[in-house]
Amino acid sequence: MSSEPVVSPLRDEFKKALVESAKARDQVRLDTIRAVQSAVRYKEIEKKGTLTDPEILSVINTLCKQRRESIEQFKNGGRTELAEKEARELSILEKFLPAQLSKEDVEKAVAQVIKDLGASGASAMGNVMKETMKRLAGQADGKLVNEIVRSQLK
């Protein structure tokens, strides 16, 4: 049994993007990719194991969510230059995520999960959210999924 590292297309993509950013002297992109790698390493230490690509996507989604919240706070605080920097980082992060599903596709996925779980009422929301987010892994924003689950479980 060999102890070779797990081959991960996402990790290869990060390495390639890091080199390209360094060559292009794109400091914001370089810093953003390094932040992703750091967050992934942190999660791996926490998990005491190597992350799979879906787990890495989950880390990237968390970083995207943080950027969205920061953008909103900076705009509310009148700090447009910081909001623009966060927006640039967000666009870089989103390039590593799979294409986002349309609202209609998310609605169909939520309806399917509700049907599969036989869920009804607000008490089933947690289970439906968990299963939907697992199935959509990085393809939809959690806030959108939450809104749709709430509307369909009334």
Side-chain angles (χ1 to χ4, degrees):
M1 212 164 134
S2 67
S3 61
E4 289 184 32
V6 179
V7 177
S8 164
L10 209 45
R11 287 178 194 275
D12 292 341
E13 204 176 319
F14 285 134
K15 287 178 187 171
K16 185 179 166 195
L18 198 65
V19 171
E20 288 172 0
S21 301
K23 284 181 180 177
R25 299 196 190 293
D26 185 345
Q27 196 60 47
V28 175
R29 187 166 185 241
L30 192 62
D31 291 345
T32 303
I33 295 166
R34 283 183 177 151
V36 170
Q37 289 179 321
S38 175
V40 167
R41 276 194 294 273
Y42 183 77
K43 274 288 186 195
E44 286 178 335
I45 290 168
E46 197 177 281
K47 180 186 173 187
K48 296 185 172 121
T50 306
L51 295 182
T52 62
D53 276 0
E55 290 170 321
I56 293 172
L57 288 175
S58 174
V59 171
I60 296 171
N61 264 329
T62 300
L63 294 172
C64 286
K65 182 178 178 186
Q66 290 170 348
R67 297 301 182 287
R68 285 185 198 100
E69 290 169 357
S70 294
I71 290 167
E72 193 174 311
Q73 289 175 351
F74 286 140
K75 282 182 178 176
N76 291 341
R79 303 292 308 269
T80 55
E81 70 284 349
L82 291 174
E84 288 168 6
K85 181 182 181 287
E86 293 287 325
R88 172 113 197 276
E89 291 177 6
L90 177 61
S91 72
I92 292 166
L93 290 171
E94 287 175 336
K95 289 178 183 158
F96 292 104
L97 293 173
Q100 297 292 295
L101 295 174
S102 69
K103 185 174 181 178
E104 293 75 28
D105 289 338
V106 175
E107 287 171 345
K108 288 176 190 169
V110 169
Q112 187 61 48
V113 169
I114 291 171
K115 182 180 169 194
D116 292 350
L117 297 178
S120 65
S123 61
M125 188 170 165
N127 291 335
V128 173
M129 277 295 299
K130 184 177 178 182
E131 182 61 26
T132 304
M133 291 307 290
K134 191 169 102 179
R135 289 185 190 183
L136 299 182
Q139 297 177 331
D141 180 47
K143 198 173 182 179
L144 174 65
V145 173
N146 186 299
E147 288 171 14
I148 293 170
V149 168
R150 278 183 198 277
S151 70
Q152 290 190 16
L153 281 178
K154 284 184 178 176

